[in-house]
Amino acid sequence: MRKQKVYIFIQARMGSKRLPGKVLKKIQGKTLIEILIHRLKKSKNSNDIIVLTSNSKSDDVLVNFLKLKSIKYFRGNEDDVLDRYYNALQIYSCDYIVRITGDCPLLDPNLLDKVIDLTLKSESDYCSNIFNDSFPDGQDIEVFKNKVLLNAWEKAKLKSEREHVTPYIIKNTDLKDGKMFKANAVESDYDYSKVRMTVDTKTDFNTIEILINKFGIDSSWDTYTQFIIDNPEIFSNQQIIRNSGYLESLKND
């Protein structure tokens, strides 16, 4: 049987409303996008990493940085991110796509491999660790077949489905009583969903900075998580609502 080709697509842009330019902000001399890619390169189950950014002029600075660092990239539709993924797939052809967002710099490569491994072994159309949000915000991993992305690109109509790539896919999985896609889920033994290590705001960035200054950029997700749990007084971002961007998109549908 031919070995399946698994590509990581990182969606990233400079135009964040709450923290513009966040992916190029630095901690200990490294940008957040570099830290994320450094961690993702440790994955044993993926074959390549491509940053998917937009055609907006505001992302020229990001593209120039990626060129300087010899990081593969693709530019596409700024608002229709599903279309960006579809067109990237035409160039970077693969069997499975891993969807990662650029605001998750401490994403754990071992957790990533766990999700990919389950996807491949179960021959799932879609697999993730976000069905029940048991992992910290900032450890979100989704893996899906190329044909699933093509199906969503053809049929997804709502703005939220186009902007956030996978809502159409998720609602049509058998784990959500849909009939189109076979799905699987990786869940944590404990509920860490209230722990936040994603970057949307300045206080989020401060949290990542504290964690990296304490443990470096190579520690496991549970090491960072336990420190946040044990030291709530030094983390002011833990009350921010999870997935607020997607919730806002739903209002606009």
Side-chain angles (χ1 to χ4, degrees):
M1 183 177 176
R2 181 177 67 85
K3 184 175 173 59
Q4 299 295 289
K5 194 186 295 182
V6 180
Y7 283 1
I8 298 172
F9 284 1
I10 306 171
Q11 61 188 74
R13 62 190 182 93
M14 295 295 287
S16 168
K17 293 178 182 176
R18 289 184 284 183
L19 189 61
K22 61 187 176 184
V23 294
L24 291 186
K25 288 188 175 297
K26 291 184 177 182
I27 298 174
Q28 293 186 359
K30 286 188 176 294
T31 63
L32 294 189
I33 195 75
E34 283 179 284
I35 293 168
L36 172 58
I37 291 173
H38 168 84
R39 289 175 66 84
L40 294 177
K41 281 183 175 178
K42 296 183 176 186
S43 167
K44 297 178 177 65
N45 291 341
S46 61
N47 303 108
D48 212 344
I49 302 170
I50 301 98
V51 176
L52 272 56
T53 191
S54 87
N55 285 321
S56 170
K57 189 170 179 56
S58 63
D59 285 319
D60 288 353
V61 63
L62 173 57
V63 167
N64 289 337
F65 177 81
L66 296 173
K67 287 179 180 177
L68 183 67
K69 297 293 181 176
S70 299
I71 297 168
K72 292 180 181 178
Y73 69 92
F74 175 83
R75 302 188 80 166
N77 194 298
E78 182 174 19
D79 299 315
D80 189 342
V81 189
L82 179 56
D83 185 73
R84 195 191 308 172
Y85 272 67
Y86 169 81
N87 284 295
L89 184 60
Q90 309 312 302
I91 296 174
Y92 297 102
S93 179
C94 58
D95 301 295
Y96 285 86
I97 297 159
V98 181
R99 177 180 179 251
I100 302 295
T101 58
D103 50 13
C104 300
L106 297 182
L107 195 136
D108 194 302
N110 292 319
L111 180 57
L112 170 61
D113 278 344
K114 188 174 182 179
V115 179
I116 296 173
D117 193 50
L118 177 60
T119 310
L120 298 177
K121 286 182 176 177
S122 63
E123 297 183 350
S124 297
D125 295 315
Y126 172 92
C127 185
S128 77
N129 66 342
I130 64 169
F131 270 106
N132 294 316
D133 284 338
S134 58
F135 287 93
D137 193 0
Q139 295 295 328
D140 299 359
I141 300 160
E142 298 178 282
V143 184
F144 41 90
K145 290 180 178 177
N146 58 10
K147 67 176 184 180
V148 172
L149 178 73
L150 299 179
N151 190 299
W153 179 79
E154 288 176 354
K155 297 178 180 176
K157 303 300 180 187
L158 298 175
K159 183 177 179 181
S160 61
E161 295 171 343
R162 310 295 303 190
E163 183 180 356
H164 295 276
V165 183
T166 56
Y168 176 86
I169 298 170
I170 292 170
K171 70 178 67 171
N172 285 289
T173 63
D174 51 7
L175 290 184
K176 292 291 186 181
D177 297 322
K179 300 185 185 302
M180 293 176 64
F181 308 122
K182 175 187 174 185
N184 240 306
V186 172
E187 296 186 17
S188 171
D189 293 333
Y190 300 94
D191 182 5
Y192 296 110
S193 60
K194 296 294 190 289
V195 176
R196 184 175 176 87
M197 56 180 77
T198 189
V199 181
D200 280 327
T201 68
K202 181 64 168 66
T203 55
D204 288 333
F205 178 81
N206 294 343
T207 288
I208 302 301
E209 191 169 38
I210 291 169
L211 294 173
I212 289 175
N213 286 338
K214 178 72 176 176
F215 297 105
I217 64 173
D218 294 305
S219 292
S220 65
W221 74 268
D222 43 332
T223 297
Y224 297 126
T225 297
Q226 196 58 52
F227 188 72
I228 292 173
I229 292 171
D230 291 342
N231 300 275
E233 71 282 356
I234 64 174
F235 296 102
S236 59
N237 69 327
Q238 298 301 300
Q239 305 306 314
I240 297 174
I241 296 173
R242 186 169 186 150
N243 296 327
S244 58
Y246 176 58
L247 295 174
E248 191 63 33
S249 289
L250 290 175
K251 293 178 184 177
N252 297 323
D253 280 346

